Amino acid sequence: MATITVPAEVPPVSDDVEELHKAFEGWGTNEGAIISILAHRNADQRKLIRHAYAQAHNQDLLKALEKELTSDFERLILLWTLDPPERDAVLANESSKKFSGSDRALVEIACTRSSHELHLVRQVYHTKYQKSLEEDVACHTTGDFRKLLWPLVTSYRYEGDEVNMSLAKTEAKLLHDKISDKCYNDDDFIRIITTRSKAQVNATLNEYKNEFGQEINKDLKADPKDEFLAMLRATIKSLTNPAKYFEKVLRLAVNRQGTDEGALTRVVATRAEFDMKMIKEEYQKRSSVSLDSAIAKDTHGDYEDMLLALIGSTDA
Amino acid sequence: MATITVPAEVPPVSDDVEELHKAFEGWGTNEGAIISILAHRNADQRKLIRHAYAQAHNQDLLKALEKELTSDFERLILLWTLDPPERDAVLANESSKKFSGSDRALVEIACTRSSHELHLVRQVYHTKYQKSLEEDVACHTTGDFRKLLWPLVTSYRYEGDEVNMSLAKTEAKLLHDKISDKCYNDDDFIRIITTRSKAQVNATLNEYKNEFGQEINKDLKADPKDEFLAMLRATIKSLTNPAKYFEKVLRLAVNRQGTDEGALTRVVATRAEFDMKMIKEEYQKRSSVSLDSAIAKDTHGDYEDMLLALIGSTDA
């Protein structure tokens, strides 16, 4: 499911550390060396490298990279090098502090990580920011966005497969009634989406489609410019079909005037080690071109090289 | 801080298991033997006993106790024997399923346990009920109660001591403004109480008292019969001064026509191993009699004996 490739024989951590340190020395930076190491180490290996780098050179590897690199390539390398829960904490912190209704980082972290992973993010958030994640989310958002995002980021969903079909029927009807009344911010509507297990949400939404004729997200398109409705749709899609959700984010990020590097970087950095293979398959199915060629067409230089390496492009 | 006493030399677990099993045999039950063992074992020891009992007798010790005992004594023994996170999960489940505005179990679990302990309760809740705690709380409560309890039970508060004094000033004023406007269910009022660290809440409420002349809970007494206001006061008191909060619950449970065994049992079973010593000191200070004599006066039989043993009464 991951797309990154790790060499069969990984060099000793101390060698990686020295190669990276060499890449930073003198005039200019050897970006190729940085990519060839960091793009091909998994989370545990990168953690060891970061730790060993700090011991050997008395500096956080992240700080060294920050000093050497710039722009989109810098952002991608920094996000990638972080351990997943710390990376999510950073993204969530940025996103809550300068919140905009079109930002999807919080929704993605709350809906596509496992309950345990989301809890780890909340733990790291304490250590890193001396605050709680929900404290920042609830403080920096307002209105309907807060009403949705606050319970989302504090959720600890049950992860079993059991489904209560009679509950699914009742709650599908409730969702449909609220949508018919345009009560998109209804307390119970939000309660169902933010607290039920993913299996139960899936059952409820299947029931919705069977009973009322079309997918709930079609019914949530009353006003295509309404940012809260768009966030509701993103929440539902990322909960029930994360690969399709991420495919669409990537598609919209590259198929437009001027690439959306923010979204492209975030999705590649956060998914390369998890479900990027499925996301790429969805992309190929939907667009009849590979994600690799779409990214190669839309980006360039070290940024392009790093993106392609992370999504396991054979050209990289 | 705990009041239970554990013998210097604890018998082997297998001896405890056999003594308990013997206490259940034949006509009648040897309640004294049950008390003499279970009231004097800490959580880890009780866990081992329960495990060993299941292995030796192919029956959950809890089921065996349930069969043998009745009434308040049964309830106290069952709650006490449970491991603390499982006990809290049971209490939270009962409380959310037949929710009443005067029930304090959810507030106590959300506000007086550490963030890590509350997370453990949520973990056990999954295993025990195939649901999430917040799913039940949000589903079975409504209106203002839901608005307060849902974020409370999902909170994972930062636990550091750092305090932001300028934030404390701003938020103290906000709380005061909302109370002046009688907006007790205001979004930001609830956000401050349910997401800020306990240290920060304390700083804000001290600021409140300094700036506006009296404690916030005095200002939250506009209507003494309003159950939501009472729950807000309980939330604030249990967050900022759990020993005083629990002292008052115990005082109200015994100083009335007919003891409130529900509250008495819950507080003794949940606090005996943690802060019951402080609660007893508060009780003595406030009432000029010891909690031991108040309980001895108000209860009788095995229930009394078990309560006194748990609160470390020298007469027990």
Side-chain angles (χ1 to χ4, degrees):
Chain A
M1 305 251 285
T3 45
I4 63 154
T5 54
V6 174
E9 283 192 32
V10 179
V13 176
S14 55
D15 287 9
D16 280 349
V17 166
E18 286 327 299
E19 287 301 313
L20 284 169
H21 192 63
K22 238 191 273 169
F24 305 153
E25 278 176 338
W27 289 101
T29 304
N30 186 347
E31 286 86 359
I34 298 174
I35 297 174
S36 73
I37 298 169
L38 291 177
H40 300 284
R41 301 292 181 272
N42 65 30
D44 288 343
Q45 292 161 344
R46 297 194 306 278
K47 204 175 190 173
L48 289 176
I49 292 173
R50 192 174 166 197
H51 184 74
Y53 191 95
Q55 294 214 309
H57 299 287
N58 205 20
Q59 185 184 30
D60 186 349
L61 174 61
L62 272 286
K63 292 274 167 225
L65 288 164
E66 216 178 306
K67 219 190 282 174
E68 295 296 324
L69 311 177
T70 57
S71 187
D72 299 322
F73 178 56
E74 174 191 5
R75 167 102 177 144
L76 178 59
I77 288 276
L78 292 180
L79 281 183
W80 171 251
T81 304
L82 287 166
D83 207 34
E86 188 180 359
R87 182 199 299 140
D88 282 349
V90 169
L91 289 168
N93 180 259
E94 290 173 357
S95 188
S96 62
K97 272 169 41 186
K98 43 176 186 159
F99 180 72
S100 100
S102 61
D103 194 320
R104 291 290 173 267
L106 289 168
V107 167
E108 289 170 13
I109 292 165
C111 299
T112 71
R113 283 36 162 180
S114 72
S115 299
H116 176 65
E117 285 164 354
L118 179 56
H119 179 66
L120 290 181
V121 177
R122 296 174 78 185
Q123 279 190 315
V124 175
Y125 207 97
H126 279 198
T127 321
K128 207 166 166 76
Y129 302 109
Q130 287 82 52
K131 274 190 283 184
S132 71
L133 169 59
E134 67 265 28
E135 193 173 353
D136 276 344
V137 169
C139 179
H140 296 294
T141 58
T142 53
D144 292 344
F145 292 105
R146 165 153 79 184
K147 204 169 167 183
L148 176 64
L149 287 170
W150 184 0
L152 272 185
V153 301
T154 57
S155 67
Y156 184 70
R157 294 180 200 260
Y158 175 62
E159 297 199 305
D161 287 334
E162 308 89 327
V163 156
N164 179 335
M165 278 313 296
S166 101
L167 186 70
K169 274 182 210 296
T170 323
E171 297 197 334
K173 184 166 181 328
L174 190 150
L175 295 178
H176 188 258
D177 290 349
K178 297 302 171 188
I179 291 178
S180 304
D181 297 342
K182 298 193 193 301
C183 292
Y184 308 116
N185 67 352
D186 173 78
D187 286 4
D188 283 304
F189 192 103
I190 288 180
R191 170 183 63 74
I192 293 167
I193 302 299
T194 61
T195 69
R196 295 300 185 199
S197 73
K198 291 181 185 178
Q200 185 69 31
V201 170
N202 262 309
T204 300
L205 299 184
N206 285 334
E207 197 54 35
Y208 185 103
K209 194 180 165 194
N210 294 338
E211 193 65 28
F212 305 108
Q214 65 176 358
E215 290 197 353
I216 192 170
N217 270 3
K218 290 250 161 72
D219 290 337
L220 288 171
K221 270 191 181 149
D223 174 1
K225 284 199 177 149
D226 184 321
E227 282 199 323
F228 178 65
L229 280 186
M231 186 172 282
L232 264 186
R233 293 195 301 273
T235 301
I236 287 171
K237 194 156 182 182
S238 62
L239 272 175
T240 54
N241 199 332
K244 275 201 177 169
Y245 164 82
F246 284 121
E247 180 279 328
K248 190 173 176 186
V249 176
L250 289 175
R251 178 158 39 87
L252 296 180
V254 293
N255 289 354
R256 49 175 257 167
Q257 285 286 72
T259 312
D260 178 355
E261 287 88 0
L264 180 57
T265 300
R266 184 184 76 240
V267 174
V268 171
T270 58
R271 307 322 297 164
E273 223 158 352
F274 297 96
D275 49 3
M276 186 52 86
K277 240 182 202 153
M278 280 170 70
I279 300 169
K280 281 177 72 174
E281 285 165 17
E282 290 291 340
Y283 193 95
Q284 175 81 44
K285 250 195 270 174
R286 182 66 168 69
S287 303
S288 310
V289 294
S290 70
L291 180 62
D292 305 30
S293 36
I295 287 180
K297 205 177 123 197
D298 236 47
T299 58
H300 64 274
D302 303 320
Y303 180 54
E304 176 191 351
D305 294 345
M306 182 66 184
L307 287 169
L308 292 179
L310 291 179
I311 66 166
S313 169
T314 40
D315 304 337
Chain B
M1 304 248 287
T3 46
I4 63 155
T5 54
V6 174
E9 283 193 32
V10 179
V13 176
S14 55
D15 288 10
D16 279 349
V17 166
E18 286 325 299
E19 287 301 313
L20 284 168
H21 192 64
K22 238 190 272 167
F24 305 153
E25 277 175 339
W27 289 102
T29 304
N30 185 347
E31 286 85 358
I34 296 174
I35 296 173
S36 73
I37 297 169
L38 290 178
H40 301 284
R41 301 292 181 272
N42 66 31
D44 287 342
Q45 292 161 344
R46 297 194 305 278
K47 203 174 191 175
L48 290 175
I49 291 173
R50 193 175 164 197
H51 184 74
Y53 191 95
Q55 293 213 309
H57 299 287
N58 205 19
Q59 186 183 30
D60 186 351
L61 174 62
L62 272 285
K63 292 277 168 221
L65 288 163
E66 216 179 305
K67 220 189 281 172
E68 296 296 323
L69 311 176
T70 57
S71 188
D72 299 322
F73 178 55
E74 174 191 3
R75 168 106 178 141
L76 178 59
I77 287 277
L78 291 180
L79 280 183
W80 170 250
T81 305
L82 287 166
D83 207 36
E86 188 180 359
R87 182 199 299 138
D88 282 349
V90 169
L91 289 168
N93 180 259
E94 289 173 359
S95 188
S96 61
K97 272 168 43 185
K98 42 175 186 164
F99 179 73
S100 100
S102 61
D103 193 319
R104 291 289 173 269
L106 288 169
V107 166
E108 289 170 12
I109 291 165
C111 299
T112 71
R113 283 35 161 181
S114 71
S115 299
H116 176 66
E117 285 165 353
L118 178 56
H119 180 66
L120 290 181
V121 177
R122 296 175 79 186
Q123 278 190 315
V124 176
Y125 206 97
H126 279 198
T127 320
K128 209 167 166 74
Y129 301 110
Q130 288 80 53
K131 273 189 282 186
S132 70
L133 169 58
E134 67 266 27
E135 193 173 352
D136 276 344
V137 169
C139 180
H140 296 294
T141 59
T142 53
D144 290 345
F145 292 105
R146 166 154 76 184
K147 204 171 167 183
L148 176 64
L149 287 170
W150 185 359
L152 272 185
V153 301
T154 58
S155 67
Y156 184 71
R157 293 179 201 260
Y158 175 62
E159 298 200 306
D161 287 334
E162 307 89 328
V163 157
N164 178 335
M165 278 314 294
S166 101
L167 186 70
K169 274 183 209 297
T170 323
E171 297 196 334
K173 182 165 183 325
L174 190 150
L175 296 178
H176 188 258
D177 289 348
K178 298 300 171 187
I179 291 177
S180 303
D181 297 341
K182 297 193 194 301
C183 292
Y184 308 117
N185 67 353
D186 173 77
D187 286 4
D188 283 304
F189 192 103
I190 288 181
R191 171 183 63 76
I192 293 167
I193 302 300
T194 61
T195 70
R196 295 299 184 199
S197 73
K198 291 181 184 177
Q200 184 69 33
V201 171
N202 262 309
T204 300
L205 298 184
N206 284 335
E207 195 54 37
Y208 185 104
K209 194 180 165 193
N210 293 340
E211 193 66 25
F212 306 108
Q214 67 176 356
E215 291 198 353
I216 191 169
N217 270 3
K218 291 249 160 73
D219 290 336
L220 288 172
K221 269 189 181 150
D223 173 2
K225 285 200 177 147
D226 183 321
E227 282 199 324
F228 178 67
L229 279 186
M231 187 172 282
L232 264 186
R233 293 195 302 273
T235 301
I236 287 169
K237 194 157 182 180
S238 62
L239 271 176
T240 54
N241 200 332
K244 275 200 175 167
Y245 164 82
F246 284 120
E247 181 278 328
K248 189 172 178 189
V249 176
L250 289 175
R251 177 157 41 87
L252 296 179
V254 296
N255 289 353
R256 49 175 258 168
Q257 285 286 72
T259 311
D260 178 353
E261 288 88 1
L264 180 57
T265 300
R266 184 184 74 241
V267 174
V268 171
T270 57
R271 307 323 297 165
E273 222 157 350
F274 297 96
D275 48 4
M276 186 52 85
K277 238 181 203 154
M278 279 171 70
I279 300 169
K280 282 177 70 173
E281 285 165 18
E282 291 292 339
Y283 193 96
Q284 176 82 43
K285 250 195 272 175
R286 181 67 169 69
S287 302
S288 311
V289 294
S290 70
L291 180 63
D292 304 29
S293 38
I295 287 180
K297 204 176 125 201
D298 235 49
T299 58
H300 65 274
D302 303 318
Y303 180 53
E304 175 191 352
D305 293 345
M306 182 67 186
L307 287 168
L308 293 178
L310 291 179
I311 65 166
S313 169
T314 41
D315 305 337

